[in-house]
Amino acid sequence: MRDTVGDLIRGYDSTGRYLDRNGLDSLKSYFATGTARVKAAALLSANAATIVKQAGSKLFEEAPDLIRPGGNAYTTRRYAACLRDMDYYLRYATYAVVAGNTDVLDERVLNGLRETYNSLGVPIGPTVQGIQLMKEIVKDLVNGVNSIDTSSANGNFLDQPFDYMSRELSEKNI
Ligand SMILES: CCC1=C(C)/C(=C/C2=NC(=C\c3[nH]c(/C=C4\NC(=O)[C@H](C)[C@H]4CC)c(C)c3CCC(=O)O)/C(CCC(=O)O)=C2C)NC1=O
C-alpha cells in the first residue's frame, strides 16, 4: 500500500538523487494539507453510518427500480450487501484521503471488482451514482461543520478518491 511520501522517496532513491525543488514542493503541498486531511478523515469516520444511510436513501429515491422485484438491491440480503459496499467505498476513501494516494483503492477495492459485479449483475452505473452521492454528502459535511480547507495543489483532496473509484469502475470519464 503506497502513500505520497513513500512514493516520492522511492522515486528519488531509485535513481540515487537527493530531493530537489520538485520533490520538496510536492512534500510541502502534502504536509500543508496534512492536518486538513486528518480532520476530514476523522469527521467521515465518526459519521460513516449516517453518510452511508443518507447516500443509500438518496440512491434508492433516485433509482427506485433497484429495490423493486427484479432490481439488484431487491431482497433484504442484497439491499444490505449494497449498503455494505457503500460503506467499503467510504472507509477506503478515508484511507486514501490520509495517504494522499489512490493506491490503496486499486489494491483493496477495485482489483477484480468490475468482474465480480458483472458476474453478479450488480449494475455499475447506479453504483457510481451511489459513490458520487456519498461524495456530495461528505463534502457538505466537511465544508459545513469545520471549515476544513480541502483544496490541494492537485485539486480537492476529498473529491479525489470518490472520483477515482467512479472512474475506474466505469472506465470512462465522469
Ligand atoms: C473491500 C472491498 C470489497 C468490495 C468493494 C466488495 C464488493 C462486493 N459486492 C458484492 C455483492 C453485492 N454488491 C451489491 C451492490 C449493489 N447493488 C445495487 O443494485 C446497487 C447499485 C449496489 C449498491 C450501491 C449487491 C446487491 C451485492 C449482492 C449481489 C448478489 O449476491 O446477488 C460482492 C460479492 C460477494 C458478496 O456478496 O459479499 C463483493 C465482493 N467486496 C469487498 O471485499
Side-chain angles (χ1 to χ4, degrees):
M1 204 181 303
R2 306 197 323 244
D3 60 66
T4 297
V5 178
D7 264 12
L8 189 107
I9 290 174
R10 204 168 302 116
Y12 280 84
D13 184 40
S14 69
T15 48
R17 286 174 300 150
Y18 279 91
L19 295 166
D20 57 15
R21 185 55 172 274
N22 278 343
L24 293 171
D25 282 348
S26 317
L27 284 174
K28 265 191 215 151
S29 107
Y30 175 65
F31 286 117
T33 56
T35 308
R37 288 173 189 275
V38 172
K39 277 191 191 164
L43 193 58
L44 304 196
S45 306
N47 292 282
T50 313
I51 295 166
V52 169
K53 200 164 159 242
Q54 279 178 6
S57 307
K58 194 106 193 279
L59 176 64
F60 298 133
E61 211 176 279
E62 291 180 5
D65 284 351
L66 292 173
I67 50 173
R68 291 190 183 131
N72 186 261
Y74 176 68
T75 76
T76 316
R77 181 186 68 80
R78 288 204 298 261
Y79 184 97
C82 179
L83 291 186
R84 179 213 54 197
D85 284 9
M86 301 260 278
D87 185 62
Y88 285 150
Y89 299 132
L90 179 62
R91 179 159 59 87
Y92 283 97
T94 67
Y95 299 160
V97 161
V98 171
N101 193 299
T102 50
D103 182 63
V104 66
L105 304 175
D106 287 326
E107 195 178 303
R108 300 292 162 90
V109 181
L110 297 164
N111 188 9
L113 185 60
R114 272 179 71 84
E115 293 71 19
T116 305
Y117 271 12
N118 287 337
S119 73
L120 289 169
V122 177
I124 305 275
T127 301
V128 168
Q129 195 177 341
I131 293 173
Q132 290 295 314
L133 286 168
M134 279 203 293
K135 179 180 84 174
E136 295 311 323
I137 293 169
V138 156
K139 287 175 69 172
D140 283 350
L141 182 69
V142 172
N143 292 335
V145 176
N146 253 336
S147 68
I148 301 168
D149 182 6
T150 56
S151 55
S152 74
N154 47 349
N156 184 310
F157 68 67
L158 273 181
D159 287 347
Q160 281 163 3
F162 296 98
D163 288 346
Y164 185 79
M165 288 188 285
S166 300
R167 212 161 41 230
E168 291 298 306
L169 257 179
S170 49
E171 285 187 340
K172 59 172 189 260
N173 288 337
I174 51 155

